[in-house]
PDB file of all heavy atoms in Angstrom:
ATOM      1  N   PRO B 192     -53.076 -20.293 -17.693  1.00  0.00           N
ATOM      2  CA  PRO B 192     -53.448 -21.494 -18.386  1.00  0.00           C
ATOM      3  C   PRO B 192     -53.350 -21.222 -19.980  1.00  0.00           C
ATOM      4  O   PRO B 192     -52.910 -22.206 -20.760  1.00  0.00           O
ATOM      5  CB  PRO B 192     -54.871 -21.902 -17.968  1.00  0.00           C
ATOM      6  CG  PRO B 192     -55.489 -20.673 -17.509  1.00  0.00           C
ATOM      7  CD  PRO B 192     -54.407 -19.815 -16.926  1.00  0.00           C
ATOM      8  N   ILE B 193     -53.756 -20.116 -20.412  1.00  0.00           N
ATOM      9  CA  ILE B 193     -53.868 -19.932 -21.879  1.00  0.00           C
ATOM     10  C   ILE B 193     -52.357 -19.923 -22.436  1.00  0.00           C
ATOM     11  O   ILE B 193     -52.233 -20.406 -23.577  1.00  0.00           O
ATOM     12  CB  ILE B 193     -54.560 -18.586 -22.134  1.00  0.00           C
ATOM     13  CG1 ILE B 193     -55.983 -18.748 -21.792  1.00  0.00           C
ATOM     14  CG2 ILE B 193     -54.368 -18.123 -23.579  1.00  0.00           C
ATOM     15  CD1 ILE B 193     -56.886 -17.451 -21.920  1.00  0.00           C
ATOM     16  N   SER B 194     -51.402 -19.427 -21.627  1.00  0.00           N
ATOM     17  CA  SER B 194     -50.114 -19.405 -22.151  1.00  0.00           C
ATOM     18  C   SER B 194     -49.532 -20.748 -22.253  1.00  0.00           C
ATOM     19  O   SER B 194     -48.603 -20.990 -23.059  1.00  0.00           O
ATOM     20  CB  SER B 194     -49.192 -18.485 -21.111  1.00  0.00           C
ATOM     21  OG  SER B 194     -49.002 -19.245 -19.963  1.00  0.00           O
ATOM     22  N   GLN B 195     -50.151 -21.673 -21.714  1.00  0.00           N
ATOM     23  CA  GLN B 195     -49.632 -23.038 -21.670  1.00  0.00           C
ATOM     24  C   GLN B 195     -50.192 -23.831 -22.865  1.00  0.00           C
ATOM     25  O   GLN B 195     -49.631 -24.818 -23.277  1.00  0.00           O
ATOM     26  CB  GLN B 195     -49.841 -23.829 -20.290  1.00  0.00           C
ATOM     27  CG  GLN B 195     -49.245 -23.125 -19.200  1.00  0.00           C
ATOM     28  CD  GLN B 195     -47.750 -23.058 -19.220  1.00  0.00           C
ATOM     29  OE1 GLN B 195     -47.095 -24.023 -19.154  1.00  0.00           O
ATOM     30  NE2 GLN B 195     -47.225 -21.863 -19.373  1.00  0.00           N
ATOM     31  N   ALA B 196     -51.422 -23.487 -23.262  1.00  0.00           N
ATOM     32  CA  ALA B 196     -52.067 -24.171 -24.402  1.00  0.00           C
ATOM     33  C   ALA B 196     -51.464 -23.646 -25.669  1.00  0.00           C
ATOM     34  O   ALA B 196     -52.110 -22.738 -26.275  1.00  0.00           O
ATOM     35  CB  ALA B 196     -53.563 -23.976 -24.249  1.00  0.00           C
ATOM     36  N   LEU B 197     -50.574 -24.239 -26.309  1.00  0.00           N
ATOM     37  CA  LEU B 197     -49.851 -23.679 -27.485  1.00  0.00           C
ATOM     38  C   LEU B 197     -50.815 -23.711 -28.549  1.00  0.00           C
ATOM     39  O   LEU B 197     -50.848 -22.835 -29.320  1.00  0.00           O
ATOM     40  CB  LEU B 197     -48.549 -24.553 -27.713  1.00  0.00           C
ATOM     41  CG  LEU B 197     -47.477 -24.386 -26.584  1.00  0.00           C
ATOM     42  CD1 LEU B 197     -46.391 -25.417 -26.910  1.00  0.00           C
ATOM     43  CD2 LEU B 197     -47.002 -23.040 -26.546  1.00  0.00           C
ATOM     44  N   LEU B 198     -51.470 -24.817 -28.773  1.00  0.00           N
ATOM     45  CA  LEU B 198     -52.435 -24.927 -29.898  1.00  0.00           C
ATOM     46  C   LEU B 198     -53.772 -25.319 -29.311  1.00  0.00           C
ATOM     47  O   LEU B 198     -53.781 -26.119 -28.258  1.00  0.00           O
ATOM     48  CB  LEU B 198     -52.013 -26.092 -30.873  1.00  0.00           C
ATOM     49  CG  LEU B 198     -50.719 -25.889 -31.696  1.00  0.00           C
ATOM     50  CD1 LEU B 198     -50.429 -27.089 -32.532  1.00  0.00           C
ATOM     51  CD2 LEU B 198     -50.793 -24.589 -32.545  1.00  0.00           C
ATOM     52  N   ARG B 199     -54.859 -24.751 -29.848  1.00  0.00           N
ATOM     53  CA  ARG B 199     -56.170 -25.123 -29.273  1.00  0.00           C
ATOM     54  C   ARG B 199     -56.682 -26.208 -30.084  1.00  0.00           C
ATOM     55  O   ARG B 199     -56.241 -26.669 -31.152  1.00  0.00           O
ATOM     56  CB  ARG B 199     -57.074 -23.880 -29.569  1.00  0.00           C
ATOM     57  CG  ARG B 199     -56.686 -22.668 -28.669  1.00  0.00           C
ATOM     58  CD  ARG B 199     -57.705 -21.631 -28.782  1.00  0.00           C
ATOM     59  NE  ARG B 199     -57.326 -20.458 -28.148  1.00  0.00           N
ATOM     60  CZ  ARG B 199     -57.863 -19.254 -28.079  1.00  0.00           C
ATOM     61  NH1 ARG B 199     -59.043 -19.154 -28.686  1.00  0.00           N
ATOM     62  NH2 ARG B 199     -57.560 -18.188 -27.417  1.00  0.00           N
ATOM     63  N   LYS B 200     -57.942 -26.688 -29.536  1.00  0.00           N
ATOM     64  CA  LYS B 200     -58.688 -27.833 -30.203  1.00  0.00           C
ATOM     65  C   LYS B 200     -59.015 -27.337 -31.600  1.00  0.00           C
ATOM     66  O   LYS B 200     -59.377 -26.154 -31.877  1.00  0.00           O
ATOM     67  CB  LYS B 200     -59.894 -28.075 -29.393  1.00  0.00           C
ATOM     68  CG  LYS B 200     -60.699 -29.269 -29.790  1.00  0.00           C
ATOM     69  CD  LYS B 200     -61.924 -29.398 -28.947  1.00  0.00           C
ATOM     70  CE  LYS B 200     -62.706 -30.578 -29.480  1.00  0.00           C
ATOM     71  NZ  LYS B 200     -62.349 -31.882 -29.169  1.00  0.00           N
ATOM     72  N   GLY B 201     -58.781 -28.231 -32.530  1.00  0.00           N
ATOM     73  CA  GLY B 201     -59.089 -27.919 -33.963  1.00  0.00           C
ATOM     74  C   GLY B 201     -57.976 -27.286 -34.604  1.00  0.00           C
ATOM     75  O   GLY B 201     -57.892 -27.271 -35.826  1.00  0.00           O
ATOM     76  N   ASP B 202     -57.005 -26.632 -33.901  1.00  0.00           N
ATOM     77  CA  ASP B 202     -55.779 -26.239 -34.523  1.00  0.00           C
ATOM     78  C   ASP B 202     -54.995 -27.198 -35.326  1.00  0.00           C
ATOM     79  O   ASP B 202     -54.432 -26.930 -36.406  1.00  0.00           O
ATOM     80  CB  ASP B 202     -54.812 -25.455 -33.455  1.00  0.00           C
ATOM     81  CG  ASP B 202     -55.293 -24.080 -33.148  1.00  0.00           C
ATOM     82  OD1 ASP B 202     -56.151 -23.559 -33.748  1.00  0.00           O
ATOM     83  OD2 ASP B 202     -54.798 -23.644 -32.063  1.00  0.00           O
ATOM     84  N   LYS B 203     -54.907 -28.360 -34.748  1.00  0.00           N
ATOM     85  CA  LYS B 203     -54.135 -29.440 -35.442  1.00  0.00           C
ATOM     86  C   LYS B 203     -54.749 -29.831 -36.769  1.00  0.00           C
ATOM     87  O   LYS B 203     -54.091 -29.925 -37.796  1.00  0.00           O
ATOM     88  CB  LYS B 203     -53.962 -30.670 -34.503  1.00  0.00           C
ATOM     89  CG  LYS B 203     -53.040 -30.482 -33.421  1.00  0.00           C
ATOM     90  CD  LYS B 203     -52.762 -31.840 -32.594  1.00  0.00           C
ATOM     91  CE  LYS B 203     -51.842 -31.561 -31.556  1.00  0.00           C
ATOM     92  NZ  LYS B 203     -51.524 -32.750 -30.796  1.00  0.00           N
ATOM     93  N   VAL B 204     -56.131 -29.950 -36.687  1.00  0.00           N
ATOM     94  CA  VAL B 204     -56.793 -30.263 -37.964  1.00  0.00           C
ATOM     95  C   VAL B 204     -56.752 -29.183 -38.963  1.00  0.00           C
ATOM     96  O   VAL B 204     -56.374 -29.380 -40.165  1.00  0.00           O
ATOM     97  CB  VAL B 204     -58.311 -30.674 -37.691  1.00  0.00           C
ATOM     98  CG1 VAL B 204     -59.012 -30.789 -39.008  1.00  0.00           C
ATOM     99  CG2 VAL B 204     -58.443 -31.747 -36.810  1.00  0.00           C
ATOM    100  N   ARG B 205     -56.881 -27.959 -38.501  1.00  0.00           N
ATOM    101  CA  ARG B 205     -56.733 -26.699 -39.367  1.00  0.00           C
ATOM    102  C   ARG B 205     -55.293 -26.622 -39.929  1.00  0.00           C
ATOM    103  O   ARG B 205     -55.143 -26.514 -41.156  1.00  0.00           O
ATOM    104  CB  ARG B 205     -56.926 -25.485 -38.595  1.00  0.00           C
ATOM    105  CG  ARG B 205     -58.381 -25.042 -38.530  1.00  0.00           C
ATOM    106  CD  ARG B 205     -58.537 -23.648 -37.874  1.00  0.00           C
ATOM    107  NE  ARG B 205     -58.302 -23.729 -36.359  1.00  0.00           N
ATOM    108  CZ  ARG B 205     -59.362 -23.945 -35.598  1.00  0.00           C
ATOM    109  NH1 ARG B 205     -60.557 -24.151 -35.952  1.00  0.00           N
ATOM    110  NH2 ARG B 205     -59.068 -24.059 -34.245  1.00  0.00           N
ATOM    111  N   LEU B 206     -54.338 -26.876 -39.083  1.00  0.00           N
ATOM    112  CA  LEU B 206     -52.861 -26.736 -39.638  1.00  0.00           C
ATOM    113  C   LEU B 206     -52.702 -27.879 -40.577  1.00  0.00           C
ATOM    114  O   LEU B 206     -52.044 -27.808 -41.612  1.00  0.00           O
ATOM    115  CB  LEU B 206     -51.967 -27.016 -38.393  1.00  0.00           C
ATOM    116  CG  LEU B 206     -51.403 -25.740 -37.711  1.00  0.00           C
ATOM    117  CD1 LEU B 206     -50.556 -25.983 -36.547  1.00  0.00           C
ATOM    118  CD2 LEU B 206     -50.824 -24.824 -38.714  1.00  0.00           C
ATOM    119  N   ALA B 207     -53.209 -29.223 -40.225  1.00  0.00           N
ATOM    120  CA  ALA B 207     -52.930 -30.227 -41.121  1.00  0.00           C
ATOM    121  C   ALA B 207     -53.563 -30.041 -42.480  1.00  0.00           C
ATOM    122  O   ALA B 207     -52.905 -30.342 -43.501  1.00  0.00           O
ATOM    123  CB  ALA B 207     -53.423 -31.556 -40.526  1.00  0.00           C
ATOM    124  N   ARG B 208     -54.724 -29.508 -42.498  1.00  0.00           N
ATOM    125  CA  ARG B 208     -55.299 -29.160 -43.807  1.00  0.00           C
ATOM    126  C   ARG B 208     -54.520 -28.056 -44.528  1.00  0.00           C
ATOM    127  O   ARG B 208     -54.373 -28.173 -45.757  1.00  0.00           O
ATOM    128  CB  ARG B 208     -56.778 -28.740 -43.598  1.00  0.00           C
ATOM    129  CG  ARG B 208     -57.606 -29.751 -43.298  1.00  0.00           C
ATOM    130  CD  ARG B 208     -59.065 -29.433 -43.242  1.00  0.00           C
ATOM    131  NE  ARG B 208     -59.858 -30.527 -42.738  1.00  0.00           N
ATOM    132  CZ  ARG B 208     -60.924 -30.533 -41.836  1.00  0.00           C
ATOM    133  NH1 ARG B 208     -61.272 -29.328 -41.439  1.00  0.00           N
ATOM    134  NH2 ARG B 208     -61.534 -31.521 -41.346  1.00  0.00           N
ATOM    135  N   TRP B 209     -54.078 -27.149 -43.884  1.00  0.00           N
ATOM    136  CA  TRP B 209     -53.294 -26.030 -44.437  1.00  0.00           C
ATOM    137  C   TRP B 209     -51.962 -26.492 -44.942  1.00  0.00           C
ATOM    138  O   TRP B 209     -51.597 -26.166 -46.060  1.00  0.00           O
ATOM    139  CB  TRP B 209     -53.127 -24.850 -43.357  1.00  0.00           C
ATOM    140  CG  TRP B 209     -52.444 -23.733 -43.927  1.00  0.00           C
ATOM    141  CD1 TRP B 209     -52.801 -22.703 -44.617  1.00  0.00           C
ATOM    142  CD2 TRP B 209     -51.009 -23.339 -43.679  1.00  0.00           C
ATOM    143  NE1 TRP B 209     -51.843 -21.865 -44.944  1.00  0.00           N
ATOM    144  CE2 TRP B 209     -50.720 -22.220 -44.323  1.00  0.00           C
ATOM    145  CE3 TRP B 209     -49.984 -24.011 -42.919  1.00  0.00           C
ATOM    146  CZ2 TRP B 209     -49.456 -21.612 -44.262  1.00  0.00           C
ATOM    147  CZ3 TRP B 209     -48.790 -23.472 -42.897  1.00  0.00           C
ATOM    148  CH2 TRP B 209     -48.470 -22.301 -43.557  1.00  0.00           C
ATOM    149  N   PHE B 210     -51.297 -27.451 -44.209  1.00  0.00           N
ATOM    150  CA  PHE B 210     -50.062 -28.069 -44.597  1.00  0.00           C
ATOM    151  C   PHE B 210     -50.225 -28.680 -46.021  1.00  0.00           C
ATOM    152  O   PHE B 210     -49.542 -28.535 -46.853  1.00  0.00           O
ATOM    153  CB  PHE B 210     -49.527 -29.021 -43.646  1.00  0.00           C
ATOM    154  CG  PHE B 210     -48.795 -28.233 -42.440  1.00  0.00           C
ATOM    155  CD1 PHE B 210     -48.906 -28.766 -41.166  1.00  0.00           C
ATOM    156  CD2 PHE B 210     -48.005 -27.230 -42.706  1.00  0.00           C
ATOM    157  CE1 PHE B 210     -48.335 -28.168 -40.155  1.00  0.00           C
ATOM    158  CE2 PHE B 210     -47.324 -26.533 -41.652  1.00  0.00           C
ATOM    159  CZ  PHE B 210     -47.395 -27.097 -40.307  1.00  0.00           C
ATOM    160  N   ARG B 211     -51.417 -29.444 -46.070  1.00  0.00           N
ATOM    161  CA  ARG B 211     -51.704 -30.236 -47.327  1.00  0.00           C
ATOM    162  C   ARG B 211     -51.960 -29.203 -48.483  1.00  0.00           C
ATOM    163  O   ARG B 211     -51.475 -29.375 -49.580  1.00  0.00           O
ATOM    164  CB  ARG B 211     -52.892 -30.983 -47.104  1.00  0.00           C
ATOM    165  CG  ARG B 211     -52.697 -32.459 -46.321  1.00  0.00           C
ATOM    166  CD  ARG B 211     -53.809 -33.340 -46.267  1.00  0.00           C
ATOM    167  NE  ARG B 211     -53.588 -34.485 -45.416  1.00  0.00           N
ATOM    168  CZ  ARG B 211     -53.009 -35.497 -45.809  1.00  0.00           C
ATOM    169  NH1 ARG B 211     -52.466 -35.781 -46.996  1.00  0.00           N
ATOM    170  NH2 ARG B 211     -52.883 -36.646 -44.962  1.00  0.00           N
ATOM    171  N   ASP B 212     -52.546 -28.050 -48.185  1.00  0.00           N
ATOM    172  CA  ASP B 212     -52.779 -27.059 -49.171  1.00  0.00           C
ATOM    173  C   ASP B 212     -51.502 -26.550 -49.682  1.00  0.00           C
ATOM    174  O   ASP B 212     -51.266 -26.351 -50.933  1.00  0.00           O
ATOM    175  CB  ASP B 212     -53.648 -25.939 -48.671  1.00  0.00           C
ATOM    176  CG  ASP B 212     -55.073 -26.336 -48.407  1.00  0.00           C
ATOM    177  OD1 ASP B 212     -55.527 -27.303 -49.040  1.00  0.00           O
ATOM    178  OD2 ASP B 212     -55.816 -25.641 -47.814  1.00  0.00           O
TER     179      ASP B 212
END
Side-chain angles (χ1 to χ4, degrees):
Chain B
I193 290 172
S194 68
Q195 303 297 291
L197 297 170
L198 295 178
R199 290 187 190 176
K200 187 180 174 76
D202 279 348
K203 287 190 178 181
V204 175
R205 270 187 284 274
L206 270 177
R208 286 189 188 138
W209 181 78
F210 281 139
R211 285 186 184 274
D212 288 342

